Amino acid sequence: YYPNNTDKHEDTKWEVCKKLKKEGYDVFTECRFKSNRGRADIIAIKNGQGYIIEIVNSEKERSIANKKNMYPKDFEIIIINVKDFKIEEFQI
């Protein structure tokens, strides 16, 4: 739980984490990268493949693009917008 996030943001993060854990992923939240390279909402790893999942609500495209550029290139980056998110449709 990160106190600066909205309830909708945190609820969505929790739903995604639960689903990924049920699917066998190792899941980590609010991970900070070295050298001020950002903080990921969710990192999910399975079978040697890593994903960074960012949950957004009111962020501008430029802010999202900046995050993508900062994160490690070994991870696929997935953006989830809480406004139109449906957990039953989510998959990686």
Side-chain angles (χ1 to χ4, degrees):
Y1 179 80
Y2 193 74
N4 292 351
N5 294 333
T6 65
D7 286 346
K8 182 64 175 165
H9 181 104
E10 291 300 317
D11 292 345
T12 301
K13 183 168 58 175
W14 175 243
E15 285 183 285
V16 170
C17 288
K18 278 194 319 186
K19 182 170 185 171
L20 292 172
K21 286 297 287 181
K22 288 178 183 178
E23 293 176 359
Y25 286 86
D26 291 321
V27 177
F28 308 91
T29 61
E30 301 302 330
C31 296
R32 292 182 187 268
F33 296 106
K34 289 182 179 182
S35 304
N36 292 328
R37 306 235 357 126
R39 177 179 35 85
D41 287 323
I42 301 170
I43 293 179
I45 301 171
K46 183 178 177 182
N47 300 327
Q49 177 65 45
Y51 302 90
I52 293 175
I53 302 168
E54 272 303 311
I55 299 167
V56 300
N57 182 16
S58 59
E59 284 188 72
K60 305 285 187 231
E61 287 298 319
R62 184 179 185 121
S63 172
I64 294 167
N66 287 339
K67 284 184 177 184
K68 286 181 175 181
N69 288 332
M70 285 182 32
Y71 289 151
K73 303 302 180 211
D74 296 339
F75 290 82
E76 181 178 331
I77 300 171
I78 298 169
I79 304 297
I80 294 174
N81 190 320
V82 300
K83 293 176 184 172
D84 54 11
F85 180 72
K86 294 179 179 72
I87 191 64
E88 57 277 357
E89 295 175 4
F90 175 74
Q91 63 181 10
I92 19 183

